[in-house]
Amino acid sequence: MIYSRIAGTGSHLPDRIVSNHDLEKVMDTSDQWIRERTGICERRWAAENVTTSDLAEKACLNAIEAADVDPAEIDLFMMGTTTPDLIFPSTACLLQKRLGLPDCGAMDVNAACSGFLYALSVADKFIRCGDAKKVLVCGAETLTNITNLQKRDTAVLFGDGAGAVVLEASEEPGILSTHIHANGNHADLLATKVGIARGWEGMEENGGKPEIVMKGNEVFKVAVRTLGRIVEETLTANGLEKADLDWLIPHQANLRIIAAMARTLDMNMDHVVVTVDRHGNTSAASVPLALDEAVRDGRIQRGDMLLLEAFGGGFTWGSALIRY
Ligand code: ACO
């Protein structure tokens, strides 16, 4: 049996820290509201000329270094992002050249906040079926490009960043299972309202860029319910109990959603990796950023059982159970 295991992790954040107090000065919000409703204290915003591929490149190089692999050996590159540099070529293709990867398959997956778990799931399947031996998987976003930074309902939530892992084929698990789902019935609750088919009218308000529109409290309720289900699906698929988990590495959208998942799993928050307080919601980057942080600071050790989960626009949702 072939499994994929995480050989190395990496991440990268822009230098600019934007605190709740910075936002209080430019819009009708308060540090107290943002902390109480979301758990966010600060987030990182990329400089105007910095793109998703710039952040992703650094995260990928960190992961390649940590995995101690030669980029020429990578035989698939999966990139989760909702904020690609261009419509095409894909961000994965743009980066393939910059990272010195061979002529391997390279593609973007657009699954909003679940993008990394979608990309990881595809990568895992390629390794399990024997078509790839080393796969680079990245989640990266410059969400500030599609956020109206004047509007308090979204500006306080989102941030920029990138995280990556190198997966390699192994006889030992590794990734035990991945689960991905989608339901387009609620597409309008969380979306950008412009695009190739709809046209680009209405972008003046956001300086000529698309903007995220979200019915936050409705998304919140669906997210909690849906994540509860996928967590159960993942444990059941592997015949495991809640107590078998060492770490929850959740999507970092809202501390209240994260805490609800911890309660569902009877897990102490000490075993939940939380970065939302410092990163805000970085969409596809949030899970690999949290994973890399906890690997590098030594909380996550080889042999630990990890549950990764995410929920995002689409709606999409996904999970992965991993023996690290
Ligand atoms: N500062 C102060 N007040 C605010 C702010 C703000 N930044 N934003 C909204 N408010 C106000 C609203 O106007 C509203 O006022 P009203 O009662 O007078 O009408 C009040 O606060 C409550 O607003 P709600 O939207 O009901 O607040 P809620 O408690 O639901 O929190 C939040 C909003 C944080 C967005 C929450 O609903 C949430 O986290 N939702 C889920 C987000 C998510 O998981 N998204 C999926 C991933 S994102 C992706 O895929 C790109």
Side-chain angles (χ1 to χ4, degrees):
M1 182 95 171
I2 309 173
Y3 296 95
S4 52
R5 68 180 274 281
I6 296 176
T9 65
S11 62
H12 180 72
L13 288 162
D15 292 335
R16 184 178 171 199
I17 298 173
V18 177
S19 69
N20 293 347
H21 295 295
D22 294 328
L23 294 176
E24 273 179 341
K25 291 177 198 147
V26 293
M27 64 185 68
D28 181 19
T29 190
S30 67
D31 175 55
Q32 190 188 355
W33 189 96
I34 303 171
R35 276 177 200 259
E36 284 179 6
R37 306 312 295 164
T38 72
I40 299 168
C41 305
E42 61 188 38
R43 70 290 289 144
R44 302 291 183 110
W45 286 2
E48 207 147 282
N49 58 344
V50 171
T51 66
T52 294
S53 66
D54 294 330
L55 302 179
E57 181 178 9
K58 294 195 170 120
C60 287
L61 289 173
N62 285 343
I64 287 169
E65 189 186 1
D68 196 20
V69 298
D70 180 348
E73 291 170 28
I74 303 280
D75 39 26
L76 179 68
F77 178 28
M78 296 298 307
M79 177 82 211
T81 187
T82 319
T83 47
D85 292 15
L86 303 168
I87 292 172
F88 78 89
S90 69
T91 314
C93 284
L94 299 177
L95 277 170
Q96 185 187 31
K97 181 174 150 222
R98 281 155 60 179
L99 291 169
L101 306 185
D103 291 353
C104 60
M107 64 183 114
D108 287 5
V109 179
N110 177 348
C113 298
S114 313
F116 176 76
L117 282 165
Y118 265 62
L120 190 77
S121 184
V122 175
D124 178 52
K125 305 290 189 253
F126 264 87
I127 288 182
R128 277 174 187 256
C129 78
D131 277 0
K133 289 206 161 48
K134 291 190 169 64
V135 184
L136 178 60
V137 187
C138 181
E141 304 278 13
T142 44
L143 279 187
T144 48
N145 266 319
I146 56 166
T147 303
N148 187 329
L149 299 176
Q150 317 296 322
K151 284 192 185 163
R152 68 178 188 176
D153 59 332
T154 47
V156 305
L157 302 176
F158 299 113
D160 302 328
V165 301
V166 174
L167 292 185
E168 65 183 7
S170 160
E171 282 171 16
E172 304 283 322
I175 296 183
L176 294 161
S177 69
T178 60
H179 306 261
I180 56 173
H181 297 279
N183 182 339
N185 283 323
H186 309 290
D188 56 321
L189 292 183
L190 173 54
T192 58
K193 300 292 180 194
V194 297
I196 293 172
R198 289 195 185 175
W200 305 97
E201 260 175 53
M203 297 200 305
E204 313 75 41
E205 256 196 86
N206 194 28
K209 291 183 175 180
E211 68 177 272
I212 299 173
V213 180
M214 176 165 73
K215 294 202 174 109
N217 50 12
E218 292 181 51
V219 175
F220 187 99
K221 287 177 218 149
V222 184
V224 171
R225 263 201 321 270
T226 310
L227 286 170
R229 282 206 311 273
I230 201 168
V231 156
E232 205 176 299
E233 173 189 336
T234 311
L235 289 174
T236 306
N238 291 281
L240 292 181
E241 305 288 334
K242 296 170 184 175
D244 295 319
L245 296 173
D246 295 305
W247 289 100
L248 173 64
I249 300 139
H251 173 47
Q252 312 280 326
N254 187 314
L255 191 58
R256 290 183 291 140
I257 299 178
I258 295 172
M261 280 314 104
R263 282 195 298 277
T264 299
L265 289 165
D266 302 330
M267 221 171 193
N268 189 303
M269 284 299 281
D270 292 350
H271 288 264
V272 181
V273 181
V274 175
T275 56
V276 69
D277 52 335
R278 288 155 294 125
H279 300 174
N281 180 349
T282 57
S283 186
S286 94
V287 170
L289 266 165
L291 174 66
D292 185 52
E293 178 174 292
V295 165
R296 283 178 192 257
D297 69 20
R299 272 177 289 170
I300 292 179
Q301 295 288 320
R302 284 285 173 202
D304 284 354
M305 187 68 82
L306 319 181
L307 177 60
L308 281 51
E309 46 87 336
F311 178 89
F315 291 134
T316 57
W317 59 103
S319 67
L321 190 74
I322 303 175
R323 175 72 73 188
Y324 181 67

